Amino acid sequence: MKENADKTLHETYMSRCLQLAENGLGNAAPNPMVGSVIVHNNKIIGEGFHRKCGEAHAEVNAINSVKDKELLKDSTLYVNLEPCSHYGKTPPCSNLIIQHKIPRVVIGCKDTFSLVSGRGIEQLKNAGCAVIVGVMENEARWLNRRFFTFHEKKRPYIVLKWAQTIDGFVDVKRNENEPSKPFWITNDLCKRLVHKWRSEEQAIMVGTNTALKDNPQLNVREWFGNMPLRIVTDRNLRLPKNLNIFDNSQKTLIFNSLKNEISDKTEFVKIDFSENKKNTVLQILEKLYERNILSVFVEGGSELLNTFISNHLWDEARVFTGHKYFYEGTKAPDFPLSETKLLTSNFYDDTFFELRIRQ
């Protein structure tokens, strides 16, 4: 009975850690999202989260929030990710915990980043701390899925997003000389939600045809948050310079086959556009990995989305189905449902939404 009670208590405080950690979404990257709670006699006496890369970590903020530091010697520190044990932009959190003689530490999951990877846990144990690891481990790993994918698979976490009509199209049939503009399938509520999502990822990516036909700004004007890095594929540099992606309002990467060049906030990056589309995508992901980009929000078009899907280079798909018919045009991407797991579904007014992950 006591063991079950302890487990429930640990999960209660770990849930709070996860709740706090999520406040760092969109700001902590490329660092993980971390929350920490300090408990004395079953009462929270301190808490904190990692607000922004380069700033104090969650454990530091939690310890600093405790008014009576003497209580730390008889407290339990909860944290959703293993405390760091190396000098980066800030000193090791494991050292600070040991310095304050905190006797018990409960951890959500191990940090698989090579500079940590169990060393923080080992340091705490060697200093005499009682350490418990694996409380709400699945939830802790899911929260930092971008971070773990980046360090374990050596590529960014890939989120696919598209909107389709009831009859399965993502775009109308267009005339060759038709002006560049989007054809909206969803509603204003969905648009604001997508802009919120953009602010939560480090980069947003579209293909040549989407940039040309829709002339997107790829920003977060409908939401308050960080502007993502804009990524566009343009093999032969045929996109006209009057498009919104060339307005130098935010950092932009143009992957192409012709040149490497930097002009203000726009950088042209040369890669090999081979007939093997998987090889092209892998090159892009490698360049983004080198730039420490943890996540990419891929918004289209259909050809680019299908390339990620067919080569199993995606992690999450967010699909809207609006209450409209196009009858003809560009078909929506398709993936075998047997390869996906439905996590959530919802209606946003007249639009149905599904969130799926790749199994």
Side-chain angles (χ1 to χ4, degrees):
M1 291 289 290
K2 184 181 183 302
E3 185 177 334
N4 290 336
D6 287 345
K7 180 182 177 183
T8 301
L9 201 60
H10 289 331
E11 289 180 349
T12 297
Y13 294 126
M14 190 58 67
S15 293
R16 178 58 178 161
C17 289
L18 294 170
Q19 185 182 41
L20 288 166
E22 198 165 8
N23 289 323
L25 182 59
N27 292 309
N31 286 351
M33 292 177 282
V34 184
S36 182
V37 169
I38 299 174
V39 178
H40 180 266
N41 288 340
N42 294 329
K43 179 182 177 181
I44 294 177
I45 60 171
E47 59 182 28
F49 68 94
H50 183 42
R51 296 176 178 274
K52 190 175 182 179
C53 180
E55 296 185 2
H57 288 187
E59 301 94 319
V60 177
N61 289 329
I63 290 171
N64 288 342
S65 73
V66 176
K67 293 180 180 179
D68 184 358
K69 298 294 192 289
E70 284 299 312
L71 296 179
L72 292 172
K73 296 176 182 178
D74 190 30
S75 297
T76 301
L77 183 143
Y78 290 82
V79 62
N80 59 288
L81 187 68
E82 175 185 358
C84 65
S85 56
H86 66 290
Y87 283 88
K89 293 184 178 180
T90 59
C93 291
S94 57
N95 286 1
L96 186 66
I97 295 170
I98 294 168
Q99 175 188 327
H100 283 279
K101 300 179 180 179
I102 298 174
R104 294 173 297 276
V105 179
V106 179
I107 299 168
C109 64
K110 180 180 175 181
D111 187 345
T112 56
F113 175 41
S114 60
L115 293 180
V116 184
S117 194
R119 293 180 181 87
I121 295 170
E122 184 180 1
Q123 280 188 4
L124 293 172
K125 287 183 176 180
N126 289 342
C129 291
V131 181
I132 297 175
V133 183
V135 175
M136 299 185 70
E137 182 175 11
N138 291 337
E139 293 85 347
R141 282 190 60 87
W142 171 253
L143 177 70
N144 276 308
R145 56 197 182 276
R146 300 164 181 84
F147 178 79
F148 285 118
T149 296
F150 182 83
H151 289 291
E152 293 172 6
K153 296 185 178 180
K154 309 302 180 186
R155 65 162 175 81
Y157 186 85
I158 307 298
V159 180
L160 309 181
K161 171 263 166 185
W162 71 86
Q164 61 189 33
T165 59
I166 292 176
D167 52 348
F169 293 97
V170 294
D171 197 8
V172 296
K173 185 177 181 181
R174 305 224 190 190
N175 297 322
E176 186 175 340
N177 297 321
E178 191 171 344
S180 299
K181 65 174 183 177
F183 284 82
W184 292 107
I185 295 173
T186 59
N187 52 49
D188 288 341
L189 178 62
C190 295
K191 183 180 179 182
R192 287 194 295 273
L193 179 60
V194 169
H195 283 228
K196 175 180 181 293
W197 288 342
R198 288 177 178 178
S199 73
E200 296 169 351
E201 310 303 338
Q202 284 190 278
I204 178 172
M205 182 177 184
V206 296
T208 311
N209 290 334
T210 297
L212 186 62
K213 294 177 181 178
D214 292 350
N215 192 20
Q217 297 179 58
L218 303 182
N219 58 23
V220 295
R221 61 194 179 278
E222 299 285 338
W223 194 261
F224 177 81
N226 292 324
M227 292 291 184
L229 170 71
R230 298 186 294 200
I231 303 169
V232 181
T233 57
D234 184 14
R235 178 174 183 169
N236 296 315
L237 295 180
R238 64 185 178 92
L239 293 175
K241 295 302 183 286
N242 62 345
L243 294 179
N244 289 321
I245 58 166
F246 295 110
D247 63 9
N248 283 312
S249 62
Q250 63 204 83
K251 289 185 178 180
T252 304
L253 291 183
I254 310 293
F255 285 102
N256 69 95
S257 63
L258 301 177
K259 67 178 181 180
N260 288 307
E261 182 179 290
I262 299 177
S263 176
D264 200 355
K265 292 184 179 181
T266 302
E267 181 179 358
F268 295 86
V269 181
K270 184 179 178 180
I271 61 171
D272 176 21
F273 280 79
S274 64
E275 293 302 316
N276 183 346
K277 292 182 179 180
K278 180 178 181 179
N279 182 51
T280 300
V281 171
L282 287 174
Q283 288 179 72
I284 292 172
L285 296 182
E286 182 179 351
K287 296 290 185 183
L288 297 178
Y289 179 79
E290 291 171 358
R291 286 168 167 77
N292 232 18
I293 301 299
L294 260 63
S295 62
V296 180
F297 197 54
V298 183
E299 285 207 40
S302 182
E303 182 178 346
L304 183 64
L305 290 164
N306 277 320
T307 298
F308 278 97
I309 292 169
S310 62
N311 290 296
H312 308 287
L313 289 170
W314 67 280
D315 302 287
E316 189 173 322
R318 304 175 186 181
V319 183
F320 293 99
T321 302
H323 193 69
K324 290 184 178 179
Y325 293 87
F326 282 171
Y327 302 106
E328 59 179 348
T330 304
K331 291 291 292 183
D334 187 28
F335 43 53
L337 294 181
S338 61
E339 296 181 7
T340 73
K341 178 182 178 181
L342 177 65
L343 286 192
T344 60
S345 60
N346 200 2
F347 274 99
Y348 295 100
D349 290 336
D350 60 348
T351 301
F352 180 63
F353 168 73
E354 285 188 328
L355 167 60
R356 291 185 174 273
I357 59 171
R358 185 165 69 87
Q359 292 185 320

